[in-house]
PDB file of all heavy atoms in Angstrom:
ATOM      1  N   ASP A 248     -14.039 -23.598 -27.148  1.00  0.00           N
ATOM      2  CA  ASP A 248     -14.394 -25.012 -27.273  1.00  0.00           C
ATOM      3  C   ASP A 248     -15.835 -25.101 -27.777  1.00  0.00           C
ATOM      4  O   ASP A 248     -16.740 -24.488 -27.205  1.00  0.00           O
ATOM      5  CB  ASP A 248     -14.264 -25.694 -25.908  1.00  0.00           C
ATOM      6  CG  ASP A 248     -14.486 -27.206 -25.959  1.00  0.00           C
ATOM      7  OD1 ASP A 248     -15.201 -27.670 -26.877  1.00  0.00           O
ATOM      8  OD2 ASP A 248     -13.957 -27.897 -25.090  1.00  0.00           O
ATOM      9  N   PRO A 249     -16.110 -25.849 -28.859  1.00  0.00           N
ATOM     10  CA  PRO A 249     -17.486 -25.956 -29.387  1.00  0.00           C
ATOM     11  C   PRO A 249     -18.472 -26.533 -28.372  1.00  0.00           C
ATOM     12  O   PRO A 249     -19.666 -26.262 -28.452  1.00  0.00           O
ATOM     13  CB  PRO A 249     -17.327 -26.873 -30.609  1.00  0.00           C
ATOM     14  CG  PRO A 249     -16.024 -27.573 -30.418  1.00  0.00           C
ATOM     15  CD  PRO A 249     -15.158 -26.620 -29.668  1.00  0.00           C
ATOM     16  N   ASP A 250     -17.976 -27.315 -27.408  1.00  0.00           N
ATOM     17  CA  ASP A 250     -18.846 -27.882 -26.373  1.00  0.00           C
ATOM     18  C   ASP A 250     -18.746 -27.106 -25.059  1.00  0.00           C
ATOM     19  O   ASP A 250     -19.081 -27.613 -23.989  1.00  0.00           O
ATOM     20  CB  ASP A 250     -18.474 -29.351 -26.120  1.00  0.00           C
ATOM     21  CG  ASP A 250     -18.731 -30.218 -27.331  1.00  0.00           C
ATOM     22  OD1 ASP A 250     -19.736 -29.972 -28.029  1.00  0.00           O
ATOM     23  OD2 ASP A 250     -17.931 -31.140 -27.583  1.00  0.00           O
ATOM     24  N   PHE A 251     -18.290 -25.857 -25.157  1.00  0.00           N
ATOM     25  CA  PHE A 251     -18.053 -25.058 -23.965  1.00  0.00           C
ATOM     26  C   PHE A 251     -19.292 -24.947 -23.080  1.00  0.00           C
ATOM     27  O   PHE A 251     -19.251 -25.207 -21.874  1.00  0.00           O
ATOM     28  CB  PHE A 251     -17.588 -23.664 -24.372  1.00  0.00           C
ATOM     29  CG  PHE A 251     -17.509 -22.680 -23.239  1.00  0.00           C
ATOM     30  CD1 PHE A 251     -16.434 -22.693 -22.368  1.00  0.00           C
ATOM     31  CD2 PHE A 251     -18.514 -21.743 -23.031  1.00  0.00           C
ATOM     32  CE1 PHE A 251     -16.353 -21.792 -21.325  1.00  0.00           C
ATOM     33  CE2 PHE A 251     -18.445 -20.841 -21.987  1.00  0.00           C
ATOM     34  CZ  PHE A 251     -17.361 -20.864 -21.140  1.00  0.00           C
ATOM     35  N   GLU A 252     -20.408 -24.557 -23.655  1.00  0.00           N
ATOM     36  CA  GLU A 252     -21.623 -24.327 -22.870  1.00  0.00           C
ATOM     37  C   GLU A 252     -22.110 -25.607 -22.210  1.00  0.00           C
ATOM     38  O   GLU A 252     -22.465 -25.629 -21.025  1.00  0.00           O
ATOM     39  CB  GLU A 252     -22.721 -23.740 -23.766  1.00  0.00           C
ATOM     40  CG  GLU A 252     -23.959 -23.295 -22.985  1.00  0.00           C
ATOM     41  CD  GLU A 252     -24.952 -22.551 -23.858  1.00  0.00           C
ATOM     42  OE1 GLU A 252     -24.616 -22.208 -25.005  1.00  0.00           O
ATOM     43  OE2 GLU A 252     -26.079 -22.325 -23.381  1.00  0.00           O
ATOM     44  N   LYS A 253     -22.095 -26.699 -22.964  1.00  0.00           N
ATOM     45  CA  LYS A 253     -22.539 -27.986 -22.420  1.00  0.00           C
ATOM     46  C   LYS A 253     -21.644 -28.432 -21.264  1.00  0.00           C
ATOM     47  O   LYS A 253     -22.118 -28.868 -20.213  1.00  0.00           O
ATOM     48  CB  LYS A 253     -22.528 -29.038 -23.541  1.00  0.00           C
ATOM     49  CG  LYS A 253     -22.951 -30.432 -23.094  1.00  0.00           C
ATOM     50  CD  LYS A 253     -22.894 -31.401 -24.265  1.00  0.00           C
ATOM     51  CE  LYS A 253     -23.258 -32.813 -23.829  1.00  0.00           C
ATOM     52  NZ  LYS A 253     -23.179 -33.762 -24.969  1.00  0.00           N
ATOM     53  N   LYS A 254     -20.337 -28.318 -21.439  1.00  0.00           N
ATOM     54  CA  LYS A 254     -19.401 -28.744 -20.407  1.00  0.00           C
ATOM     55  C   LYS A 254     -19.509 -27.873 -19.158  1.00  0.00           C
ATOM     56  O   LYS A 254     -19.437 -28.361 -18.032  1.00  0.00           O
ATOM     57  CB  LYS A 254     -17.970 -28.692 -20.953  1.00  0.00           C
ATOM     58  CG  LYS A 254     -17.670 -29.745 -22.001  1.00  0.00           C
ATOM     59  CD  LYS A 254     -16.235 -29.596 -22.511  1.00  0.00           C
ATOM     60  CE  LYS A 254     -15.895 -30.638 -23.561  1.00  0.00           C
ATOM     61  NZ  LYS A 254     -14.520 -30.463 -24.093  1.00  0.00           N
ATOM     62  N   SER A 255     -19.681 -26.558 -19.353  1.00  0.00           N
ATOM     63  CA  SER A 255     -19.752 -25.665 -18.204  1.00  0.00           C
ATOM     64  C   SER A 255     -21.003 -25.908 -17.378  1.00  0.00           C
ATOM     65  O   SER A 255     -20.963 -25.886 -16.147  1.00  0.00           O
ATOM     66  CB  SER A 255     -19.693 -24.196 -18.656  1.00  0.00           C
ATOM     67  OG  SER A 255     -20.807 -23.868 -19.454  1.00  0.00           O
ATOM     68  N   HIS A 256     -22.118 -26.175 -18.033  1.00  0.00           N
ATOM     69  CA  HIS A 256     -23.357 -26.474 -17.297  1.00  0.00           C
ATOM     70  C   HIS A 256     -23.209 -27.766 -16.499  1.00  0.00           C
ATOM     71  O   HIS A 256     -23.661 -27.869 -15.354  1.00  0.00           O
ATOM     72  CB  HIS A 256     -24.540 -26.581 -18.267  1.00  0.00           C
ATOM     73  CG  HIS A 256     -25.072 -25.254 -18.703  1.00  0.00           C
ATOM     74  ND1 HIS A 256     -25.529 -24.302 -17.824  1.00  0.00           N
ATOM     75  CD2 HIS A 256     -25.213 -24.714 -19.940  1.00  0.00           C
ATOM     76  CE1 HIS A 256     -25.942 -23.231 -18.492  1.00  0.00           C
ATOM     77  NE2 HIS A 256     -25.752 -23.458 -19.782  1.00  0.00           N
ATOM     78  N   LYS A 257     -22.567 -28.751 -17.107  1.00  0.00           N
ATOM     79  CA  LYS A 257     -22.340 -30.020 -16.413  1.00  0.00           C
ATOM     80  C   LYS A 257     -21.433 -29.821 -15.210  1.00  0.00           C
ATOM     81  O   LYS A 257     -21.657 -30.369 -14.127  1.00  0.00           O
ATOM     82  CB  LYS A 257     -21.721 -31.034 -17.378  1.00  0.00           C
ATOM     83  CG  LYS A 257     -21.492 -32.415 -16.764  1.00  0.00           C
ATOM     84  CD  LYS A 257     -20.894 -33.361 -17.784  1.00  0.00           C
ATOM     85  CE  LYS A 257     -20.637 -34.725 -17.152  1.00  0.00           C
ATOM     86  NZ  LYS A 257     -20.028 -35.663 -18.148  1.00  0.00           N
ATOM     87  N   ALA A 258     -20.405 -29.002 -15.385  1.00  0.00           N
ATOM     88  CA  ALA A 258     -19.470 -28.755 -14.292  1.00  0.00           C
ATOM     89  C   ALA A 258     -20.136 -28.009 -13.139  1.00  0.00           C
ATOM     90  O   ALA A 258     -19.836 -28.250 -11.971  1.00  0.00           O
ATOM     91  CB  ALA A 258     -18.265 -27.966 -14.804  1.00  0.00           C
ATOM     92  N   PHE A 259     -21.054 -27.099 -13.482  1.00  0.00           N
ATOM     93  CA  PHE A 259     -21.755 -26.370 -12.426  1.00  0.00           C
ATOM     94  C   PHE A 259     -22.523 -27.324 -11.525  1.00  0.00           C
ATOM     95  O   PHE A 259     -22.668 -27.103 -10.330  1.00  0.00           O
ATOM     96  CB  PHE A 259     -22.715 -25.347 -13.032  1.00  0.00           C
ATOM     97  CG  PHE A 259     -22.091 -24.010 -13.283  1.00  0.00           C
ATOM     98  CD1 PHE A 259     -22.114 -23.453 -14.545  1.00  0.00           C
ATOM     99  CD2 PHE A 259     -21.473 -23.311 -12.263  1.00  0.00           C
ATOM    100  CE1 PHE A 259     -21.540 -22.221 -14.791  1.00  0.00           C
ATOM    101  CE2 PHE A 259     -20.894 -22.075 -12.493  1.00  0.00           C
ATOM    102  CZ  PHE A 259     -20.921 -21.528 -13.762  1.00  0.00           C
ATOM    103  N   LYS A 260     -23.008 -28.414 -12.087  1.00  0.00           N
ATOM    104  CA  LYS A 260     -23.795 -29.374 -11.314  1.00  0.00           C
ATOM    105  C   LYS A 260     -22.919 -30.366 -10.553  1.00  0.00           C
ATOM    106  O   LYS A 260     -23.187 -30.696  -9.405  1.00  0.00           O
ATOM    107  CB  LYS A 260     -24.741 -30.145 -12.242  1.00  0.00           C
ATOM    108  CG  LYS A 260     -25.837 -29.284 -12.865  1.00  0.00           C
ATOM    109  CD  LYS A 260     -26.734 -30.127 -13.764  1.00  0.00           C
ATOM    110  CE  LYS A 260     -27.844 -29.287 -14.384  1.00  0.00           C
ATOM    111  NZ  LYS A 260     -28.718 -30.102 -15.271  1.00  0.00           N
ATOM    112  N   LYS A 261     -21.869 -30.841 -11.192  1.00  0.00           N
ATOM    113  CA  LYS A 261     -21.088 -31.929 -10.608  1.00  0.00           C
ATOM    114  C   LYS A 261     -19.642 -31.568 -10.277  1.00  0.00           C
ATOM    115  O   LYS A 261     -18.960 -32.312  -9.574  1.00  0.00           O
ATOM    116  CB  LYS A 261     -21.088 -33.138 -11.557  1.00  0.00           C
ATOM    117  CG  LYS A 261     -22.466 -33.749 -11.775  1.00  0.00           C
ATOM    118  CD  LYS A 261     -22.357 -34.999 -12.638  1.00  0.00           C
ATOM    119  CE  LYS A 261     -23.725 -35.662 -12.816  1.00  0.00           C
ATOM    120  NZ  LYS A 261     -23.615 -36.889 -13.635  1.00  0.00           N
TER     121      LYS A 261
END
Side-chain angles (χ1 to χ4, degrees):
D248 185 334
D250 295 323
F251 171 79
E252 188 172 350
K253 179 181 178 181
K254 290 179 180 178
S255 63
H256 281 303
K257 182 179 179 181
F259 271 124
K260 293 180 179 180
K261 296 184 178 181

